[in-house]
Each structure stands twice: as C-alpha cells, then as structure tokens.
Amino acid sequence: MKEQTTIPDSKGIQDFSGHYCIVGAGPAGISMARSLKMKGIPFHVIERYKDVGGIWDIENPGSPMYKSAHFISSKYLSDYADYPMPEEYPDYPSNRQILSYHRSFAREYDLYRHIKFNSSVRSIEQKGSKWLVKLENGESGLYEGVICASGITWSPNIPKLQGIETFRGEVIHSVKYKDISFFRGKRVLVVGAGNSGCDIACDAGVAADQAFISVRRGYYFIPKHIFGMPADVFGDGAHWIPNWFSQWVFGIILKFLVGDLTKIGLPAPDHKIFETHPIINDQLLHNLRHGDVIAKGDISRLNGEFVEFKDGSKEKIDLVVLATGYHWSIPYMEEKYFEWKNGRPELYLTLFNRNYENLYALGYMETDGGAYKMFDEMANLISSYIDAKRKGDPSAKKFESLIRTDRPLLNGGIHYLNTGRHSVYVNQVAYKKYRSKIQSKMGWPELKPGQFDILKKGEHAASAPNDLARAAR
C-alpha cells in the first residue's frame, strides 16, 4: 500500500493529478478518507475549521450543536466499522463524547496528516478531465476527483412569519441556541418537532418561565428504550420482518408504550409509522404531561407581544426558536454541477453524480438509523469504483452505465411523505440489500471485520497533529 503524503502549501496551482479532494473532515469526510487510504488511493482532506468533527464541535461557527445534545441513535449501531465506541460511553452518548470519538478515530487511523485545517474552499470547477479546487487563502490544486462531504446542517431554513416586523420579542433559528441559560426568565416558543426541536423544548421546559412547542402535524414518538433496549437495537432484531408487518407491530407497541398523544395536546399522526423520519424522544412527552411544555398548533401570525395560532388561541412570548431545519447546499460549487430536486441533490445511490465524471458526495441523504456504519459502506463503494477505474478493470465501465441509467427505489416498500426532506430518504435495509447486490455484480468486496487494522499506527498515530504542524510550516 502506497504511503500518503501531507499537503504542501503553495500560492500557485499545484498539480494533484491522481489525488482526490475530500471537502470536510466531519463524520462522512473521515470515513471517506479511511476508505481511500485503505485502497492506497492518494487524497487530501480540506477542512475549514481547526480540527476534526464537523457539526459535533460546538465551537465551530454555524454548528447546530447545543450543550444538552445527545446522539439519537445508540452507540451499538452507530459506530464506524472496526472502531466501536468506548465501553464506558452510555447508550446515547453526549455531543462531547461523539466529538472525542471522531478525533480518536482520526488519530487511530493516522488521518490528521492528510487534512488541511483552517482552509475554506472558495470554489471547485471542472477543468478538462480534472477538478480545480480554489481555497480562500489563494491556494489552488488540480485534482483527479472531488468528494463533497461538507454536511447538510449548515444553512438554516428560516420561514417567513407574518407579523415578525412588529413582534416585540426575539426570533432566532435553533442554530443560534447553545445553552439552557438562554431561556431563563422568558416565555419561550419552539417551532418544529424534529429531534432538535424536541430537545430544545425540553431545555426550555426546565429553564424558561413557560415553554411551548408549535407542531404543525402529528408524529410518532419512539422512546429511546423499548423493553430495556435502545430503540434501534430493538428494531434491528426485526429486519427480517417485512416492512408492512413491522409498521403494524410497532404501531401497536407504541400505542401500548406511549399512549394517545392527543391527550397531551399533540395532533394525531396523519400517516403510518416510519413514513417520516422518526422522533426518538420520550423526554418531551414527560414534560408535556407535567405542563413544563405546552403543545400548540401551527402559527397564524406574530402580533406585538403575542404569537397567535391557527386555532384562535394566543400566547405572550418573549423568544421564538425556529427549529425548522436546514437548506441543503454545496456552496463552493455552481448549481449546474448537481441536479437538485426538492432542495436535495439527485445522485445515484445518493453518492454518484450522473453527469460529471469523478464528482461524488457522501452524507447527502437521510435514513432511519445510525449513519456511520452506512457511511463506511458507502465510502467503500465509492473507493471501489475509483480503484477499478485506476486499474482499468472492466467493472468500472459496467458501473458507469449504472450511474447513468439505474434508478432504484430504496424505500423498502414504505411510502415516505411527499416532502423535500424525504425526496432522498432511504430505508437502511433496502439500501444495504441493493448496494450489496450491485457490489457483488461488480466483484467488489464488502467490508470485512478487521480489515482496517492495518492502518492503525499506534504511537505514530498520536503524533499526527505534529506531522500536520510540520507540513503547515
């Protein structure tokens, strides 16, 4: 396996032909880096912030993280291949523990010296058969290919609220929320019942004078533990069951465990379970049942000191927190390079650009379970294709044809809601089965336990930041 080199500094255009540029050293980026390194494919990672971690570093400007945030999937099914989370971690680790896990992963596999930190990408454009990557500091590099792994939760979606111009309270997006002390002495309304919105409403329920949550539609709330097991571990044992039957069984279980949510002010779901991204939260239900948080319907308008709701009620509110999600974007590339559908890039298997050679993306999808093992499998598919092309293997041509023409349904028979969020939503079991079938046809091996151990550097890995510092000099 060819040893990689650190990234040199230069103000001219450097020729990195044969190298691949990974944009972002968050969870997807470091998974991709390990996969390329395993196959001996030269690469550089460009990271705009000072360290590994992406959104999990609360100090990164624009990170949606807040101090009370925890993983919504359990540590047992959310780790990277060959790198389990520490045994002492709880079932649902904190954001600080997840950040530490990512940095430990990057040290263990000696990835730090391949990452150029504090370097924002200004633009990426095609130049002949190569890709020109320009950085904000004036450096430029010509690369064989580009893998966008810069994440989907950096550009806040801020809806227009009628009456906001004359509202006497404060309105912020949830990306600005960091600490529970922000709510003290206030009447707080959280808008949106996604996983972050529910978490933030719980914080407000503890610290605010009164907390409210505005919910437009009904959702299914899945407890973090079912019969003493983390919810995803419990569900993982039922993957052999057809999805329609699983929906029926889980619907009955939730009625038994959670009860009728309309009795605590939440609207009844207008869809079957699993047809939207799951809300993994039972703490909000506790707060609603104790009156620490009060459920409200959709907002009609803001009016002076008050927020008025479509049911005719109104509440005096000091602070509105918009937990209304994020626009997906790849801001360093012109829109022409990706086909956008409902605000999401349309890619083969959510990874491969259909129109531009050697342009990939990792992490531009949502799914119904832990992502990191899935990232590893997706990264393995990308790197297997790149490796086949580099070696002139006939499988590369076969796969190119699939990229252009193959449009599989990856919903596992579940009819996801027709929303922008669910336009590239994939069922994990269906995706894994289809991806595995394609890899088998191409003759590309699946991940095997222990295969990444060869990359572990022991004491040398711990010195990786020093290697990087030397490269910066």
Side-chain angles (χ1 to χ4, degrees), residues 158-416:
I158 302 177
K160 175 69 174 174
L161 298 177
Q162 185 179 347
I164 192 171
E165 299 84 0
T166 58
F167 182 57
R168 295 177 198 167
E170 185 179 3
V171 179
I172 65 167
H173 190 273
S174 60
V175 73
K176 299 286 187 182
Y177 171 69
K178 300 300 174 187
D179 182 70
I180 197 168
S181 62
F182 193 56
F183 293 144
R184 300 202 189 282
K186 299 175 183 176
R187 291 172 63 85
V188 176
L189 172 68
V190 177
V191 180
N195 286 294
S196 293
C198 292
D199 281 353
I200 294 169
C202 290
D203 280 0
V206 172
D209 284 357
Q210 181 60 59
F212 304 86
I213 185 167
S214 171
V215 182
R216 260 193 318 192
R217 74 185 319 151
Y219 294 95
Y220 291 93
F221 284 74
I222 300 175
K224 284 200 164 182
H225 288 85
I226 297 177
F227 304 134
M229 288 183 280
D232 55 358
V233 175
F234 178 83
D236 191 58
H239 279 169
W240 59 274
I241 299 174
N243 281 321
W244 66 267
F245 188 69
S246 182
Q247 286 178 294
W248 179 71
V249 170
F250 268 85
I252 292 174
I253 290 174
L254 286 190
K255 282 182 181 178
F256 174 73
L257 293 178
V258 176
D260 183 0
L261 297 181
T262 63
K263 292 182 179 179
I264 52 176
L266 294 172
D270 59 357
H271 55 279
K272 295 179 182 177
I273 190 171
F274 304 136
E275 291 182 348
T276 60
H277 191 65
I279 308 300
I280 314 295
N281 189 301
D282 39 15
Q283 189 178 0
L284 178 64
L285 305 184
H286 171 89
N287 281 311
L288 288 167
R289 288 182 174 121
H290 289 77
D292 296 324
V293 180
I294 296 172
K296 305 295 292 187
D298 201 6
I299 293 173
S300 173
R301 65 171 181 161
L302 310 186
N303 186 6
E305 299 181 298
F306 295 91
V307 175
E308 298 177 358
F309 300 91
K310 289 185 177 178
D311 64 1
S313 64
K314 65 179 183 180
E315 298 289 348
K316 184 179 180 298
I317 298 294
D318 302 304
L319 172 65
V320 177
V321 180
L322 300 172
T324 45
Y326 295 82
H327 295 295
W328 291 20
S329 65
I330 303 176
Y332 42 86
M333 299 195 75
E334 292 182 38
E335 193 170 317
K336 69 178 183 180
Y337 288 117
F338 291 90
E339 292 182 55
W340 293 87
K341 178 183 177 183
N342 296 320
R344 271 58 175 162
E346 209 284 313
L347 302 158
Y348 180 53
L349 299 179
T350 78
L351 305 171
F352 300 91
N353 194 299
R354 296 183 188 272
N355 300 316
Y356 291 90
E357 182 73 10
N358 288 329
L359 179 58
Y360 314 93
L362 180 59
Y364 286 84
M365 57 88 192
E366 289 195 77
T367 187
D368 52 358
Y372 299 160
K373 277 191 173 72
M374 199 171 182
F375 283 170
D376 281 336
E377 292 169 348
M378 291 170 150
N380 183 49
L381 184 61
I382 293 174
S383 62
S384 293
Y385 175 51
I386 292 172
D387 192 45
K389 286 199 295 182
R390 283 161 54 87
K391 294 175 178 175
D393 192 285
S395 63
K397 289 293 183 185
K398 285 194 234 174
F399 195 73
E400 283 173 19
S401 178
L402 290 177
I403 291 174
R404 290 192 301 270
T405 61
D406 190 26
R407 297 182 181 271
L409 282 176
L410 301 170
N411 60 5
I414 295 175
H415 301 289
Y416 295 118

Side-chain angles (χ1 to χ4, degrees), residues 427-473:
N427 175 268
Q428 274 206 349
V429 175
Y431 188 99
K432 185 180 181 71
K433 284 181 179 178
Y434 194 82
R435 178 200 51 73
S436 185
K437 181 179 77 171
I438 294 297
Q439 279 189 219
S440 178
K441 283 183 177 180
M442 297 300 113
W444 301 341
E446 295 276 0
L447 297 178
K448 296 179 180 177
Q451 77 171 61
F452 292 111
D453 290 350
I454 193 173
L455 298 181
K456 294 181 179 180
K457 295 294 185 180
E459 293 181 3
H460 178 69
S463 69
N466 293 327
D467 294 339
L468 182 69
R470 286 195 292 273
R473 290 197 294 271

